[in-house]
Amino acid sequence: RETVALAREHGVAVGAHPGFPDPEGFGRRELQFSPADVEDFVAYQVGVLAAIAASQGVRLQHVKPHGALFNMAVRDGELADAIARAAAAIDRELILFGLPGSEIVAAGRRAGLRTASEGFADRAYRADGTLVPRQQEGAVIRDAATVIPRVIRMARDHMVEAIDGTSVPLAVDTICVHGDTPGAADLAARIRAALRDAGVEVMAVGRRIAAFHAGVPVAHVEAG
């Protein structure tokens, strides 16, 4: 409730970040649930936040699966469909976030939701456009001097350098900075300033999608 109130005060859009019911593993362990169970716990988590937001006069803007659920649903269409159905059941105006070209984005479109393709400021990519697993060395990028030019390239050129040095096409609508990356708040502020200096306007992703169709270069930065 306090976070939603702060977001409302500062004009920041609010989204839900549902994941596996796994607080011990911070939602980053791959667990096996049926699509029906995934649909239930995603609907529950999104619905709870939607109710809290409504009590503050705020409507949720988006849904982004968290951690292992996100990475599994990138490649598993049944899990992705379960997430999309749950989001649509709560509010058909929600925007579903997913990796570009992923099953999540496809599932959102099948469910009649708007979708947003997401890039990761502080995570390394493989040559196929998926994220390097966190267990692998170099998966999390902590150096702001490396992160910031990567983000500008994502937003302006729709490209990212993979961990093997290859350039990977990556058309993104939104940029994630993980909240548990050391110095995340300062990093997000520096990214925003750097994007502005590069001529990229930062705005809520709902406005960004509308602006995209008008040909305006913009980016959405969100904390995950």
Side-chain angles (χ1 to χ4, degrees):
R1 184 179 294 109
E2 291 174 357
T3 301
V4 171
L6 281 170
R8 179 189 61 191
E9 178 184 348
H10 294 282
V12 175
V14 177
H17 199 31
F20 285 125
D22 177 32
E24 295 84 2
F26 196 59
R28 288 182 174 153
R29 298 185 295 188
E30 291 202 358
L31 304 180
Q32 299 304 313
F33 283 86
S34 69
D37 286 341
V38 169
E39 185 172 350
D40 286 344
F41 70 65
V42 170
Y44 171 76
Q45 292 178 36
V46 175
V48 168
L49 182 58
I52 291 171
S55 75
Q56 300 290 310
V58 173
R59 186 175 184 177
L60 295 189
Q61 173 192 251
H62 61 270
V63 171
K64 174 197 165 180
H66 166 65
L69 180 62
F70 180 97
N71 290 321
M72 291 171 71
V74 161
R75 59 184 185 270
D76 188 325
E78 290 189 354
L79 284 186
D81 281 329
I83 293 165
R85 285 194 302 268
I90 300 301
D91 184 349
R92 299 196 68 85
E93 294 300 313
L94 287 167
I95 302 167
L96 184 61
F97 285 10
L99 211 63
S102 68
E103 290 290 342
I104 301 173
V105 171
R109 291 171 180 162
R110 285 193 292 269
L113 297 171
R114 292 178 296 164
T115 62
S117 293
E118 180 179 49
F120 289 81
D122 48 10
R123 291 294 310 279
Y125 283 83
R126 295 186 286 203
D128 64 357
T130 60
L131 298 177
V132 174
R134 279 182 174 268
Q135 300 87 345
Q136 186 173 329
E137 183 70 25
V140 179
I141 304 170
R142 296 179 171 85
D143 179 17
T146 301
V147 168
I148 290 172
R150 282 168 61 88
V151 171
I152 292 172
R153 192 179 183 203
M154 286 182 200
R156 192 171 58 189
D157 303 330
H158 295 162
M159 299 287 290
V160 69
E161 183 177 325
I163 198 166
D164 65 357
T166 59
S167 291
V168 180
L170 197 78
V172 299
D173 304 298
T174 176
I175 304 290
C176 173
V177 178
H178 286 90
D180 62 339
T181 294
D186 177 66
L187 179 60
R190 292 178 64 181
I191 288 171
R192 183 187 181 97
L195 286 169
R196 183 188 61 235
D197 292 345
V200 179
E201 183 179 2
V202 179
M203 62 177 65
V205 72
R207 290 180 56 214
R208 185 258 179 269
I209 290 173
F212 173 79
H213 294 292
V216 180
V218 294
H220 165 85
V221 179
E222 47 100 11

